């Protein structure tokens, strides 16, 4: 193909080299679009069958254009006589320059390698709910050659270089089992009926939309325990299994609101701070 193009373009002049390079880049860009289109068709077929790894295929889709432009660069450098001679001189006699270029590209290469390792070993995947720290929490929406994109619950995009996120300790809520155990704390008065409180909490927990269902009847989706007795209140905790980790916070808020309303309607004693005054 390159010989056919060079029949009509004189690559011995700068204008011809520019035109030749533009045509090669254009061809590689068109080929990358075709490959992307074929990959999208492949994804749609696999999605209907439910037998594909969306993380690896989407990473490959993000990489296609990059690799085709690398191919275009190699073709141009290898087929244009002037550029081929310059490349030979640079790479054979300028070891210091090559070292400088390698050092400058160190961050880009480390991100690329880290991205490949993330896709291969899958500490997290696209669609996973992960937590790095208190601020960096959300759903993985994309993994590119350079960075990982996390959509936070404020609908903000958090972009983290692959070389950084690959070295972080990550809490992955959905890598194997999506169910999460939600801790819900309540405070009741010292003379409150604990059995009634337990009954109210379990009833309201069973009404939650995303309450987990277990095949084994021995596993309970909710449980209420008295954690401690303080001088002014009794600390009660409800352990509730939620089927969707993305909905845990919403379910926690709903449960506390509903239980609080039931406590008021059924006159459950609420905690009252006690003060001992010594005259």
């Amino acid at each position: 193909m390159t010989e056919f193009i060079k029949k009509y373009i004189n690559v011995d002049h700068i204008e011809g080299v520019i035109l030749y390079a533009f045509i090669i880049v254009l061809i590689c860009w068109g080929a990358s679009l075709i490959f992307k289109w074929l990959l999208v068709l492949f994804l749609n077929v696999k999605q209907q069958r439910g037998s594909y790894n969306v993380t690896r295929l989407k990473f490959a889709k993000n990489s296609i254009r990059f690799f085709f432009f690398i191919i275009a660069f190699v073709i141009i450098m290898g087929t244009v006589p002037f550029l081929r001679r310059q490349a030979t001189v640079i790479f054979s006699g300028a070891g210091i320059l090559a070292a400088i270029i390698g050092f400058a590209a160190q961050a880009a290469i480390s991100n690329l390698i880290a991205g490949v390792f993330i896709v291969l070993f899958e500490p997290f995947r696209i669609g996973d709910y992960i937590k790095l720290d208190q601020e960096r929490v959300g759903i993985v929406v994309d993994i590119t050659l350079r960075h990982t994109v996390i959509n936070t619950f404020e609908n903000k995009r958090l972009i983290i270089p692959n070389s950084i996120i690959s070295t972080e300790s990550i809490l992955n809520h959905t890598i194997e089992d999506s169910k999460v155990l939600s801790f819900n704390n309540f405070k009741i008065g010292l003379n409150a009926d604990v059995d009634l409180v337990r009954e109210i909490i379990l009833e309201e927990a069973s009404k939650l939309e995303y309450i987990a269902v277990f095949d084994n009847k021995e596993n309970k989706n909710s449980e209420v325990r008295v954690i401690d007795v303080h001088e002014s209140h009794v600390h009660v905790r409800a352990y509730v299994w939620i089927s969707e980790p993305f909905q845990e916070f919403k379910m926690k808020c709903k449960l506390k609101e509903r239980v609080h309303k039931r406590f008021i309607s059924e006159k459950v004693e609420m905690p009252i701070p006690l003060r001992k005054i010594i005259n």
Side-chain angles (χ1 to χ4, degrees), residues 178-241:
S178 62
K179 292 189 288 293
V180 293
L181 182 59
S182 176
F183 288 8
N184 301 267
N185 296 306
F186 300 92
K187 294 179 181 179
I188 58 176
L190 292 173
N191 297 318
D193 188 342
V194 176
D195 294 329
L196 175 61
V197 168
R198 180 179 288 108
E199 181 182 345
I200 291 173
I201 295 174
L202 291 177
E203 282 182 7
E204 296 302 326
S206 65
K207 299 175 185 176
L208 295 175
E209 294 87 339
Y210 293 94
I211 192 76
V213 177
F214 292 94
D215 296 331
N216 188 351
K217 293 183 179 180
E218 295 180 358
N219 293 331
K220 298 179 180 179
N221 52 23
S222 301
E223 191 173 1
V224 178
R225 296 176 184 171
V226 174
I227 301 300
D228 204 352
V229 178
H230 299 271
E231 61 181 7
S232 61
H233 68 273
V234 178
H235 181 188
V236 177
R237 177 177 294 167
Y239 300 87
V240 182
W241 284 97

Side-chain angles (χ1 to χ4, degrees), residues 26 32 37 79 130 178:
L26 188 64
S32 70
W37 178 72
T79 56
I130 67 173
S178 62

Side-chain angles (χ1 to χ4, degrees), residues 38-56:
L38 292 174
L39 186 59
V40 169
L41 291 180
F42 178 74
L43 283 173
N44 291 335
V45 173
K46 288 291 184 180
Q47 187 173 12
Q48 292 174 359
R49 297 177 182 176
S51 59
Y52 75 101
N53 188 316
V54 65
T55 302
R56 294 181 181 178

Side-chain angles (χ1 to χ4, degrees), residues 6-276:
K6 286 194 288 186
K7 285 183 180 179
Y8 300 96
I9 299 176
N10 185 3
V11 294
D12 294 327
H13 297 87
I14 186 64
E15 296 85 356
V17 172
I18 294 174
L19 180 59
Y20 175 77
F22 175 76
I23 292 174
I24 294 297
V25 170
L26 188 64
I27 291 172
C28 289
W29 178 71
S32 70
L33 291 180
I34 294 173
F35 268 81
K36 275 191 175 183
W37 178 72
L38 292 174
L39 186 59
V40 169
L41 291 180
F42 178 74
L43 283 173
N44 291 335
V45 173
K46 288 291 184 180
Q47 187 173 12
Q48 292 174 359
R49 297 177 182 176
S51 59
Y52 75 101
N53 188 316
V54 65
T55 302
R56 294 181 181 178
L57 291 176
K58 197 166 184 179
F59 182 80
K61 180 181 176 182
N62 292 333
S63 308
I64 286 174
R65 182 175 297 177
F66 171 79
F67 286 116
F68 268 96
F69 277 115
I70 292 294
I71 292 171
F73 176 78
V74 172
I75 291 174
I76 294 169
M77 295 297 293
T79 56
V80 177
F82 170 75
L83 296 178
R84 185 168 61 246
R85 289 194 298 268
Q86 296 301 318
T88 303
V89 172
I90 291 173
F91 289 106
S92 62
I96 297 177
L97 179 61
I100 293 173
I101 294 174
F103 181 77
Q106 184 178 1
I109 294 172
S110 63
N111 284 326
L112 174 61
I113 295 174
V116 173
F117 283 168
I118 289 172
V119 172
L120 288 178
F121 297 106
E122 294 187 331
F124 55 85
R125 303 154 300 183
I126 291 176
D128 280 3
Y129 169 28
I130 67 173
K131 178 180 180 180
L132 281 73
D133 50 41
Q134 295 300 325
E135 287 76 27
R136 296 181 293 177
V137 181
I139 302 169
V140 179
V141 295
D142 201 4
I143 302 173
T144 69
L145 291 171
R146 182 186 176 276
H147 55 257
T148 297
V149 183
I150 298 174
N151 187 20
T152 69
F153 293 111
E154 297 174 339
N155 200 30
K156 297 177 181 177
R157 298 300 187 273
L158 183 61
I159 300 173
I160 305 174
N162 290 331
S163 60
I164 294 177
I165 197 170
S166 63
T167 59
E168 294 276 356
S169 297
I170 299 171
L171 178 62
N172 193 328
H173 291 274
T174 51
I175 192 167
E176 290 185 2
D177 189 354
S178 62
K179 292 189 288 293
V180 293
L181 182 59
S182 176
F183 288 8
N184 301 267
N185 296 306
F186 300 92
K187 294 179 181 179
I188 58 176
L190 292 173
N191 297 318
D193 188 342
V194 176
D195 294 329
L196 175 61
V197 168
R198 180 179 288 108
E199 181 182 345
I200 291 173
I201 295 174
L202 291 177
E203 282 182 7
E204 296 302 326
S206 65
K207 299 175 185 176
L208 295 175
E209 294 87 339
Y210 293 94
I211 192 76
V213 177
F214 292 94
D215 296 331
N216 188 351
K217 293 183 179 180
E218 295 180 358
N219 293 331
K220 298 179 180 179
N221 52 23
S222 301
E223 191 173 1
V224 178
R225 296 176 184 171
V226 174
I227 301 300
D228 204 352
V229 178
H230 299 271
E231 61 181 7
S232 61
H233 68 273
V234 178
H235 181 188
V236 177
R237 177 177 294 167
Y239 300 87
V240 182
W241 284 97
I242 304 296
S243 60
E244 291 291 338
F246 316 121
Q247 303 293 334
E248 185 204 356
F249 180 73
K250 186 184 292 184
M251 295 302 102
K252 186 190 291 281
C253 295
K254 281 190 176 182
L255 179 62
K256 289 189 176 182
E257 179 182 348
R258 293 173 181 177
V259 168
H260 179 69
K261 291 178 179 178
R262 285 284 302 274
F263 282 177
I264 294 174
S265 65
E266 302 196 23
K267 296 180 173 55
V268 173
E269 182 183 336
M270 305 301 284
I272 300 175
L274 299 178
R275 297 290 182 267
K276 187 176 181 180

